[in-house]
Amino acid sequence: MSNLIDSGWAAWLPAELTDVYEARGASASACRAVAKRLADGPDAERRDRWERFALVCPSRVDLPATADGLTVDEAEHLLDQLGLGDGEPEPVELVLTLDHEQLRELEQVRSSREVGDISTPVDALPSLGARFGGEKVGRNDPCPCGSGKKFKRCHGS
């Protein structure tokens, strides 16, 4: 499985193909369990993941519309078509085509993640005395945290 993660395939492969990939070289009972899961058919979550994979699957791969009735041999053939046969998996490169609205949404997500430079020098930080006025706060005075409540009801308790 670590090879799949390193190559980028783990995020995209449907669970059926991942199960077959992991069962390679495993015990006979593990292989039978995978064959039984395939015969039982996918649940709703696995069906959704198969549909998402169909959107990003390379066009050179003859991917069935659904995972219903998928056999171990068919899954092995799909893995071979994807370059996940014997040896090291090929790295995956995903190219998305985004319209203007999707691109704007992606930029908003990216900008909200940007933290900036977090290495602010200690001497550049405001002192606590300056923040709280440097004098003692009375119980009935407004709380220096800026909540608008009296100090005794906010941070004075």
Side-chain angles (χ1 to χ4, degrees):
M1 183 70 171
S2 66
N3 289 346
L4 284 179
I5 293 171
D6 294 342
S7 65
W9 279 106
W12 298 105
L13 276 183
E16 292 81 6
L17 297 181
T18 305
D19 291 346
V20 171
Y21 183 85
E22 290 174 351
R24 289 179 169 173
S27 66
S29 62
C31 294
R32 281 193 304 273
V34 169
K36 183 177 179 336
R37 276 198 303 270
L38 289 177
D40 291 344
D43 59 6
E45 183 180 334
R46 286 177 173 235
R47 207 176 296 277
D48 288 344
R49 188 168 173 127
W50 187 275
E51 290 173 7
R52 282 195 308 271
F53 180 68
L55 296 174
V56 298
C57 183
S59 59
R60 72 177 189 273
V61 176
D62 186 23
L63 186 72
T66 67
D68 294 319
L70 187 70
T71 65
V72 173
D73 290 337
E74 291 170 339
E76 288 280 355
H77 182 67
L78 288 171
L79 289 170
D80 289 340
Q81 286 181 330
L82 290 166
L84 299 173
D86 299 327
E88 290 293 313
E90 297 174 4
V92 64
E93 180 179 322
L94 180 65
V95 178
L96 295 176
T97 305
L98 303 174
D99 64 15
H100 181 69
E101 186 67 29
Q102 292 169 327
L103 187 60
R104 211 170 53 185
E105 186 178 329
L106 180 62
E107 289 301 321
Q108 286 176 343
V109 169
R110 282 184 179 162
S111 66
S112 68
R113 289 184 182 170
E114 291 177 11
V115 179
D117 186 21
I118 58 171
S119 59
T120 305
V122 175
D123 53 331
L125 296 172
S127 69
L128 290 177
R131 171 72 177 122
F132 293 111
E135 56 191 53
K136 185 171 168 83
V137 179
R139 287 179 40 83
N140 291 319
D141 292 340
C143 188
C145 75
S147 67
K149 297 180 182 178
K150 288 185 178 182
F151 179 71
K152 66 181 177 183
R153 302 234 180 239
C154 191
H155 282 92
S157 57

